[in-house]
Amino acid sequence: DIVMTQSPDSLAVSLGERATINCKSSQSVLYSSNNKNYLAWYQQKPGQPPKVLIYWASTREFGVPDRFSGSGSGTDFTLTISSLQAEDVAVYYCQQYYSTPYTFGQGTKLEIK
Amino acid sequence: QVLLQESGPGLVKPSETLSLTCTVSGGSISSYYWSWIRQPPGKGLEWIGYIYYSGSTNYNPSLKSRLTISVDTSKNQFSLTLSSVTAADTAVYYCVRDQSSYCSGGGCSVGPYYFDYWGQGTLVTVSS
């Protein structure tokens, strides 16, 4: 199984400031035949199902604000929120869909400082 | 807008079988992969397995011996059965659509890929 490890486990950021969440996979999720990273980011607010924010490591889902961005390749990835808004308080998960069993990171809880 | 709705008992006794159904509305179940994902209270996400509308499946090895996922395209539904449950199976169970194609200049490829539509989830508690 591919192990996904996120850092930090929790993060407190002031409104309007940048938030950065890291995700590392135990093996590369870059598929050489199409040069795509099989990595997605999800946001989960309390009492709600997760919602996809980013897929292919850096493609923003339709309707997701452009303050959310994804970067990285191979085994190291980053989710960045450029200017934190109050509605961004949530738990964020990375997930690999390179191989089954699909696996998620343990989650990063983002709060307002 | 694709909507997914889980249904089934919220309480299951230890050693019995957990059965859930997901009804898909606002779109066809055809041409997509469909997954079950669970989340124990206060914990992270675990992929259980997926089924293609044609009936082919892929299960998490950690659950494979107890798991069956099936599809009924005539009802636009897919289902989960998990046998011999224990307290460790207590979780919110989500039914989810896998984004099943992506297209680039060279054409389109069939997935499954990331999870784009989620049900609201249903809490299943295993307790006597």
Side-chain angles (χ1 to χ4, degrees), chain A residues 6-90:
Chain A
Q6 292 179 225
S7 61
D9 291 334
S10 63
L11 181 62
V13 175
S14 301
L15 289 173
E17 295 300 305
R18 177 184 300 260
T20 301
I21 299 170
N22 300 301
C23 175
K24 188 174 184 67
S25 56
S26 61
Q27 63 188 75
S28 177
V29 298
L30 174 62
Y31 196 40
S32 56
S33 67
N34 59 10
N35 200 36
K36 287 203 169 288
N37 289 283
Y38 284 49
L39 188 286
W41 288 96
Y42 300 86
Q43 175 193 63
Q44 187 176 32
K45 297 182 179 179
Q48 296 184 18
K51 168 191 168 184
V52 65
L53 299 174
I54 303 285
Y55 54 90
W56 302 126
S58 60
T59 301
R60 199 180 304 113
E61 173 73 323
F62 180 78
V64 173
D66 61 7
R67 63 180 181 273
F68 290 92
S69 63
S71 62
S73 184
T75 61
D76 292 280
F77 301 91
T78 300
L79 174 69
T80 301
I81 307 172
S82 60
S83 176
L84 189 71
Q85 304 300 302
E87 61 264 33
D88 301 334
V89 169

Side-chain angles (χ1 to χ4, degrees), chain B residues 83-125:
Chain B
S83 63
S84 304
V85 298
T86 70
D89 295 309
T90 294
V92 174
Y93 285 76
Y94 295 102
C95 59
V96 184
R97 192 182 84 168
D98 298 42
Q99 175 51 247
S100 301
S101 69
Y102 98 90
C103 299
S104 65
C108 295
S109 301
V110 177
Y113 302 119
Y114 55 94
F115 306 118
D116 61 354
Y117 286 96
W118 296 63
Q120 282 300 306
T122 187
L123 175 62
V124 178
T125 301

Side-chain angles (χ1 to χ4, degrees), chain B residues 21-25 27-30 71-79:
Chain B
T21 296
C22 182
T23 301
V24 180
S25 58
S28 174
I29 205 166
S30 297
V71 65
D72 186 335
T73 54
S74 67
K75 294 182 179 179
N76 236 33
Q77 294 177 333
F78 63 106
S79 299

